Amino acid sequence: SNRWVGIAMAFGSGTLIAAVAYELVLDAVEASVSLAAAGFAAGALAYYVGNWAIDRRRGGRVGMTSDSTLAGSANAIVLGTVLDGIPESFVLGASILQDGAVPIAVVVGVFAANVPEALSGTVGLLDAGWTRARVFTMWSIVVAVSVVAAMAGWFLLDVMPSGGGAFAAAFAAGALLVMLADTLMPEAFELGGREVGLVTALGFAVGFALT
């Protein structure tokens, strides 16, 4: 049900907040305060501008339950989902090179937040008349772009000058935080109700423990 989708998204939101604070920003600041500040601001602005451009193109914000609007804005849906996935995938790719392993808190948060969001979006598209082949093609494009973003995170961190890792991690943190406040958490509250606040706190506690 939509309620459980919202609750799952809230849990993922809390986990991602912990990952941003303790896996990304903290490590970036320890490496370089100035680069971390610049990266964080750049990431936040990049996501804001990109999301604003998509919203403007499709004539306003689109909730996952707006079936009629979903049916008429395929390109916007793909671009919006990719915009969410790029900073997450970039973090995963960069972490492999920087730390030798992906941050568990980020993986858990991404999984807990994105899977129910994608399931709900798929149901809405099918109800709006999309064929299964068309939906599958759309998500395949999203997966392909996310893979490229993960590869870019790994490659760019390798060729960046000293301190570039701090900028990259903080950039992803800024983008993720704006995404959480602008998209994921409002959708979670809309679908899950008041209990999502408590579930978000639980997700944060779990994410903190995983860090």
Side-chain angles (χ1 to χ4, degrees):
S1 66
N2 282 342
R3 175 174 170 77
W4 284 106
V5 168
I7 288 175
M9 291 169 64
F11 181 85
S13 297
T15 309
L16 283 176
I17 292 172
V20 166
Y22 296 104
E23 292 279 8
L24 301 177
V25 173
L26 191 61
D27 290 344
V29 169
E30 288 178 349
S32 172
V33 174
S34 59
L35 285 175
F40 188 84
L45 287 172
Y47 186 90
Y48 173 81
V49 172
N51 206 36
W52 171 81
I54 290 174
D55 288 342
R56 184 179 181 185
R57 178 179 179 181
R58 64 192 180 193
R61 294 178 60 85
V62 177
M64 293 183 299
T65 55
S66 302
D67 297 346
S68 61
T69 310
L70 287 172
S73 56
N75 291 333
I77 296 169
V78 174
L79 288 174
T81 308
V82 168
L83 195 62
D84 286 353
I86 284 177
E88 299 165 345
S89 301
F90 187 90
V91 168
L92 297 179
S95 298
I96 294 176
L97 182 64
Q98 190 172 28
D99 303 325
V102 295
I104 297 176
V106 175
V107 174
V108 172
V110 168
F111 183 86
N114 287 0
V115 170
E117 184 179 16
L119 289 173
S120 180
T122 296
V123 171
L125 291 171
L126 293 175
D127 290 344
W130 281 41
T131 64
R132 292 183 179 274
R134 188 180 180 189
V135 173
F136 183 79
T137 300
M138 185 198 75
W139 288 124
S140 297
I141 293 172
V142 171
V143 170
V145 173
S146 297
V147 169
V148 172
M151 294 173 61
W154 179 86
F155 176 75
L156 290 176
L157 192 61
D158 191 33
V159 299
M160 280 181 180
S162 179
F167 182 91
F171 181 95
L176 279 174
L177 197 58
V178 176
M179 181 271 291
L180 285 167
D182 185 71
T183 304
L184 200 58
M185 298 179 75
E187 292 282 5
F189 183 81
E190 179 182 348
L191 296 176
R194 290 189 175 277
E195 287 75 17
V196 301
L198 291 174
V199 178
T200 301
L202 175 62
F204 179 86
V206 172
F208 175 77
L210 290 174
T211 62

